[in-house]
Amino acid sequence: MDKIIVHGGHTLAGTVKISGSKNSALPILAATLLTKEPCVIHRVPDLSDVHYMLQILNHLGAEVERASGVVTVKAEKVDTVAPYDVVRKMRASVCVLGPLLGREKEATVSLPGGCVIGDRPIDLHLRGFEALGAAVRVHAGNVKVFAPELVGAKISLKGKFGSTVLGTDNVLMASVLAEGTTVIEDAACEPEVVDLANFLNKMGARIEGAGTPQIVVEGVKELHGAEHEVIPDRIEAGTFLVAGAIAGREVTITRAKYDHLAAVGTALEACGFNLTRSNGAITIRPNGSVGSVDLRTEPYPGFPTDMQAQMCALLATARGDSEVTENIFPQRFMHVSELKRMGAAIELDGATAKIRGVNGLSGAPVMASDLRASAALVLAGLKAEGETEINRVYHIDRGYELIDEKLGSLGAHIERVKV
Ligand code: UD1
């Protein structure tokens, strides 16, 4: 198991290129199961989660080829069972349910594992499938969905914590081949949902309204092959902006999309940073000391839960007190105890982290617990005095392409050690 060692206190400067979005690539790759024809997907990030998804597609019978960021999938025939061995490593495996149900009217997938960020049910996905006419059975750790035929329906995907991103993706993918019209209410509006809908439309689907809470799908008889480039990863982009904020003199990210990052940009400006942008490049520069800010995570276009941990790392050394409230995954604070071991002053009050800015952090051995929490510890390590050793970095490799190399190219002293 690799670990990452960060020697803190080195100033970052330079330019880093943002990769394709993990959270777009995963459902888009799953969507290739909807056609027998080849699909070509560009800008697919080289991440372990993507690797798991390709393994699942392969297991389901698809031919998969991959060459430097371009993945070709041809699913002439598909099996409908994705067993525990292939899906257990990643929660997003659940998004093969929708396309398999859409195409074969049947799918069995082992109930997902993945990030340890609290209870992560899939009841809303299943509610959507049922509305389309599918029966749902849960048995021996597997969920099976099946239907003699799928018929368009009006479906609300509103849950206790708002809408569901993968649930919207899943129901969308099941509905494109359903008979008649499907109206998805309370749909997730995240850019990754829009990217999936754009890809499905290139395949011949008829989807309108993606990016708004109401998506309307006119079912079609079949889909064909298509070519698509995945959007930039807004969370990777946000993470590098926070790296620039924590330890940078001037850091520029390129091939990013500011519109997708506006809530993060606004939060960083509220802390006193200067952000400038032109043609997909965003530059962050410090402007004196880091100011405190209160944040609440919300569905898009609000502040993303996937950036909450990284902002906690930044605010740990801000001037003054900040409150960060987690509204999407209330238990998503595994990074807090590790940041405290590095000297941060953070108290948890329910789903709110109360952060009192301290003068500095000190390096320590810490444990990565989930993807974004791990990123937060790397960021804290950039600022900390001495050496921070981040264990269990396989969490980071799930979602950040070459994070150590990219940070190294900006001047961070960071090394990966094989254990
Ligand atoms: C996706 C992202 C993840 C991000 C999250 C929220 C991918 C691969 N992952 O995860 O990085 O943190 O969106 O932006 O795209 N919920 C239910 N029932 C369900 C489904 C979800 O109650 O059936 C709840 C969840 O527990 C959570 C909230 O709804 O509280 C939002 O979760 P959801 O949007 O579904 O997250 P994912 O799509 O799994």
Side-chain angles (χ1 to χ4, degrees):
M1 220 179 288
D2 295 1
K3 60 183 174 188
I4 284 181
I5 297 177
V6 184
H7 305 270
H10 297 276
T11 306
L12 306 190
T15 299
V16 74
K17 204 192 300 174
I18 297 307
S19 301
S21 159
K22 166 180 91 75
N23 288 354
S24 261
L26 295 174
I28 284 173
L29 289 169
T32 63
L33 293 171
L34 280 160
T35 176
K36 296 177 176 181
E37 295 184 15
C39 293
V40 183
I41 316 299
H42 297 261
R43 208 177 173 186
V44 177
D46 189 5
L47 302 170
S48 54
D49 269 12
V50 166
H51 182 69
Y52 298 142
M53 179 56 80
L54 298 182
Q55 275 182 350
I56 294 169
L57 298 183
N58 202 250
H59 180 94
L60 292 169
E63 287 169 36
V64 177
E65 277 174 34
R66 166 175 210 154
S68 58
V70 183
V71 172
T72 306
V73 184
K74 184 166 180 233
E76 203 153 1
K77 288 204 184 100
V78 286
D79 190 2
T80 59
V81 181
Y84 184 66
D85 269 0
V86 289
V87 305
R88 74 187 160 86
K89 295 177 187 146
M90 179 180 65
R91 195 191 127 76
S93 326
V94 74
C95 67
V96 300
L97 271 175
L100 289 176
L101 178 65
R103 174 164 164 180
E104 298 295 319
K105 309 291 175 272
E106 183 180 316
T108 304
V109 172
S110 187
L111 284 165
C115 266
V116 208
I117 52 177
D119 185 24
R120 295 184 74 175
I122 58 163
D123 56 310
L124 298 169
H125 305 224
L126 301 179
R127 193 210 285 172
F129 297 146
E130 282 176 331
L132 292 170
V136 175
R137 299 275 177 276
V138 177
H139 180 65
N142 297 321
V143 57
K144 178 173 180 173
V145 290
F146 53 102
E149 56 173 354
L150 294 175
V151 182
K154 194 166 183 172
I155 302 165
S156 163
L157 289 180
K158 195 177 189 73
K160 205 165 109 192
F161 299 101
S163 187
T164 162
V165 178
L166 286 178
T168 302
D169 291 344
N170 241 338
V171 174
L172 194 55
M173 290 189 278
S175 68
V176 287
L177 294 176
E179 182 86 33
T181 309
T182 298
V183 180
I184 305 175
E185 306 273 9
D186 306 301
C189 301
E190 270 66 5
E192 295 78 17
V193 174
V194 179
D195 204 24
L196 172 67
N198 287 341
F199 174 58
L200 291 168
N201 281 341
K202 286 182 189 169
M203 296 173 81
R206 293 176 58 200
I207 302 167
E208 282 182 9
T212 76
Q214 189 189 68
I215 303 180
V216 181
V217 185
E218 292 297 337
V220 295
K221 287 264 173 290
E222 61 178 5
L223 297 185
H224 52 74
E227 195 159 350
H228 187 75
E229 181 176 293
V230 170
I231 58 171
D233 195 309
R234 65 191 167 104
I235 305 302
E236 189 203 18
T239 302
F240 276 97
L241 288 180
V242 174
I246 279 187
R249 187 171 62 238
E250 179 173 307
V251 169
T252 300
I253 57 170
T254 59
R255 296 198 71 196
K257 199 161 169 34
Y258 184 81
D259 290 357
H260 294 172
L261 274 164
V264 176
T266 304
L268 289 169
E269 282 170 346
C271 295
F273 293 95
N274 281 324
L275 265 69
T276 49
R277 50 197 155 114
S278 71
N279 287 336
I282 307 168
T283 300
I284 182 160
R285 292 182 195 87
N287 184 16
S289 63
V290 181
S292 55
V293 70
D294 292 343
L295 289 175
R296 303 171 63 79
T297 65
E298 280 165 353
Y300 189 82
F303 190 88
T305 172
D306 285 350
M307 283 299 302
Q308 181 258 108
Q310 300 89 315
M311 281 303 284
C312 285
L314 173 67
L315 295 172
T317 55
R319 196 174 8 91
D321 297 347
S322 307
E323 287 196 0
V324 176
T325 301
E326 177 54 68
N327 287 315
I328 311 291
F329 296 110
Q331 299 166 46
R332 190 177 204 177
F333 283 112
M334 278 78 67
H335 44 286
V336 166
S337 51
E338 302 300 298
L339 288 173
K340 283 169 83 167
R341 297 186 62 246
M342 298 175 72
I346 309 178
E347 291 309 322
L348 280 180
D349 180 3
T352 298
K354 297 187 168 175
I355 305 172
R356 182 171 52 78
V358 293
N359 283 336
L361 299 175
S362 53
V366 287
M367 200 65 90
S369 53
D370 79 38
L371 171 53
R372 308 304 170 185
S374 319
L377 298 175
V378 171
L379 296 179
L382 296 173
K383 175 94 177 179
E385 195 184 315
E387 190 176 290
T388 301
E389 178 183 305
I390 299 123
N391 293 287
R392 295 202 195 147
V393 298
Y394 57 86
H395 288 294
I396 300 191
D397 295 333
R398 288 188 37 228
Y400 290 93
E401 191 172 51
L402 304 174
I403 189 170
D404 39 340
E405 285 183 29
K406 287 186 180 183
L407 284 171
S409 76
L410 292 174
H413 288 206
I414 179 167
E415 55 183 315
R416 180 180 287 258
V417 179
K418 301 247 175 247
V419 186

